[in-house]
Amino acid sequence: SQTIHQWPATLVQPVGSPLSLECTVEGTSNPNLYWYRQAAGRGLQLLFYSVGIGQISSEVPQNLSASRPQDRQFILSSKKLLLSDSGFYLCAWTGTGSTEAFFGQGTRLTVV
Amino acid sequence: DAKTTQPPSMDCAEGRAANLPCNHSTISGNEYVYWYRQIHSQGPQYIIHGLKNNETNEMASLIITEDRKSSTLILPHATLRDTAVYYCIVRYRDDMRFGAGTRLTVKP
């Protein structure tokens, strides 16, 4: 069966520090991969998605970047965190075609 | 931008049916309607999806209007554990954008 791993669950980082969040999927190949951010009490904002290795689409210009070095690995990064980067970050994957999405458990990032 | 509009909040009595509406007036012919829900501090959970026909599974029913411009998610017997934010999205292939959703509160 397919599973999605996302870590860490919580993270507290100082302003100006770098960030690296990792998401991996098991049990499937060539998934579509997504990164979302959710501010407190708000909906899910799509940040990046990828349909293949090295293919990244950015939805919102920001202080973050994404990379897909392997088929089932999706990484969200920042060189210098801002206070406004605080939030709940979610990774998700879907199969090819119109199938349902599966989400990780999320990372709660607090920038202090 | 999300292609759907939903009421920001709804209440439902425990044991009664919860009917959550969604408008998607600009839906195109190959886009599916998906519903997810998110319980506080967790990742969203898939509920159901459909293209044209009404669908039912063990969690819910999905009613799509004939013109496909709106849909309703029905939880037939809401429980306190159904309290969550419910998201309706329209999607074809890799485009997957969420709106603000509806916060459903099931009350005893």
Side-chain angles (χ1 to χ4, degrees), chain B residues 19-55:
Chain B
N19 297 287
L20 292 92
C22 180
N23 288 324
H24 31 81
S25 59
T26 61
I27 191 170
S28 60
N30 55 7
E31 287 181 317
Y32 286 73
V33 179
Y34 283 78
W35 284 84
Y36 293 83
R37 73 179 182 185
Q38 185 180 24
I39 296 171
H40 183 62
S41 296
Q42 297 182 22
Q45 174 192 23
Y46 165 79
I47 300 173
I48 198 167
H49 75 283
L51 183 63
K52 295 180 181 179
N53 300 321
N54 298 336
E55 303 287 345

Side-chain angles (χ1 to χ4, degrees), chain A residues 58-102:
Chain A
S58 174
E59 289 297 305
V60 181
Q62 62 229 311
N63 185 41
L64 303 169
S65 62
S67 62
R68 185 170 177 174
Q70 301 179 43
D71 181 46
R72 291 170 288 179
Q73 183 185 32
F74 204 24
I75 298 173
L76 182 70
S77 304
S78 174
K79 292 182 179 179
K80 290 185 178 181
L81 283 169
L82 306 173
L83 289 174
S84 57
D85 292 324
S86 294
F88 189 49
Y89 289 82
L90 285 157
C91 179
W93 76 272
T94 69
T96 54
S98 294
T99 62
E100 67 262 37
F102 299 91

Side-chain angles (χ1 to χ4, degrees), chain B residues 1 32 59 65 101:
Chain B
D1 292 335
Y32 286 73
M59 291 181 67
T65 58

Side-chain angles (χ1 to χ4, degrees), chain B residues 35 47-48 55-57 59-63 72-76:
Chain B
W35 284 84
I47 300 173
I48 198 167
E55 303 287 345
T56 296
N57 62 20
M59 291 181 67
S61 294
L62 173 61
I63 307 299
T72 301
L73 178 75
I74 301 173
L75 307 179

Side-chain angles (χ1 to χ4, degrees), chain A:
Chain A
S1 62
Q2 303 94 345
T3 56
I4 179 168
H5 301 281
Q6 187 182 344
W7 67 91
T10 59
L11 190 60
V12 180
Q13 291 284 102
V15 169
S17 64
L19 173 74
S20 180
L21 300 180
E22 188 167 343
C23 173
T24 60
V25 180
E26 295 179 357
T28 189
S29 60
N30 197 31
N32 293 334
L33 296 170
Y34 303 82
W35 277 112
Y36 293 89
R37 177 169 61 196
Q38 187 172 37
R42 307 293 294 275
L44 280 72
Q45 178 188 30
L46 178 61
L47 301 176
F48 302 95
Y49 69 93
S50 171
V51 299
I53 296 174
Q55 300 178 58
I56 307 296
S57 295
S58 174
E59 289 297 305
V60 181
Q62 62 229 311
N63 185 41
L64 303 169
S65 62
S67 62
R68 185 170 177 174
Q70 301 179 43
D71 181 46
R72 291 170 288 179
Q73 183 185 32
F74 204 24
I75 298 173
L76 182 70
S77 304
S78 174
K79 292 182 179 179
K80 290 185 178 181
L81 283 169
L82 306 173
L83 289 174
S84 57
D85 292 324
S86 294
F88 189 49
Y89 289 82
L90 285 157
C91 179
W93 76 272
T94 69
T96 54
S98 294
T99 62
E100 67 262 37
F102 299 91
F103 285 80
Q105 287 304 301
T107 295
R108 187 161 303 282
L109 171 67
T110 304
V111 182
V112 297

